[in-house]
Amino acid sequence: MATLGDLERSVMSLLWEGDSPLSANDVRDQLGEDLAVTTVLTVLSRLEKKGLVRRERSSRPHRYTATASREEHTVEMLNEVLGTASDREAVLARFIGGISEDEAAGLRRILK
């Protein structure tokens, strides 16, 4: 799983939260930063190469969507990290030890 830089995370957040595909200009405008559209296109191209976004080529300008939800992406990252741990149970125990009571209750509900 490829790691994301700050700008890539910001772009992915927009795509995850959006209701429809976004063009590079849409992304630039919604980021609210003083960025060139070429910079946004470069970021979108990198995200596409990482398999995180899909470019719709059927119209101009091209529009971009996330290939998976934020939750699906997070699960992939968690599974990758757990896959590198020599003691998965210890990692899970430390993670669970750091969650709130509400999160623990939610986890208990899920496990039932």
Side-chain angles (χ1 to χ4, degrees):
M1 172 70 48
T3 57
L4 299 178
D6 291 340
L7 187 52
E8 289 174 324
R9 276 192 302 277
S10 296
V11 169
M12 287 306 302
S13 287
L14 287 175
L15 294 174
W16 282 322
E17 294 164 7
D19 295 333
S20 59
L22 299 174
S23 70
N25 284 321
D26 296 333
V27 171
R28 183 200 58 205
D29 294 347
Q30 290 184 33
L31 284 173
E33 298 179 32
D34 189 23
L35 295 171
V37 73
T38 54
T39 301
V40 175
L41 284 165
T42 298
V43 171
L44 287 165
S45 176
R46 287 181 182 160
L47 291 169
E48 185 179 20
K49 286 178 185 168
K50 292 178 181 183
L52 297 172
V53 303
R54 180 180 312 109
R55 178 174 27 168
E56 296 177 5
R57 300 170 191 253
S58 60
S59 64
R60 289 287 203 174
H62 294 156
R63 300 207 173 271
Y64 297 82
T65 56
T67 57
S69 70
R70 182 189 309 264
E71 293 77 15
E72 290 167 327
H73 175 69
T74 302
V75 167
E76 267 186 57
M77 290 180 2
L78 288 170
N79 283 328
E80 183 175 324
V81 169
L82 281 174
T84 64
S86 58
D87 187 350
R88 291 173 64 119
E89 190 173 324
V91 172
L92 289 170
R94 288 194 68 145
F95 173 74
I96 292 168
I99 65 176
S100 70
E101 267 308 308
D102 289 342
E103 291 166 330
L107 185 56
R108 282 191 286 281
R109 279 192 304 276
I110 293 167
L111 291 173
K112 285 185 180 182

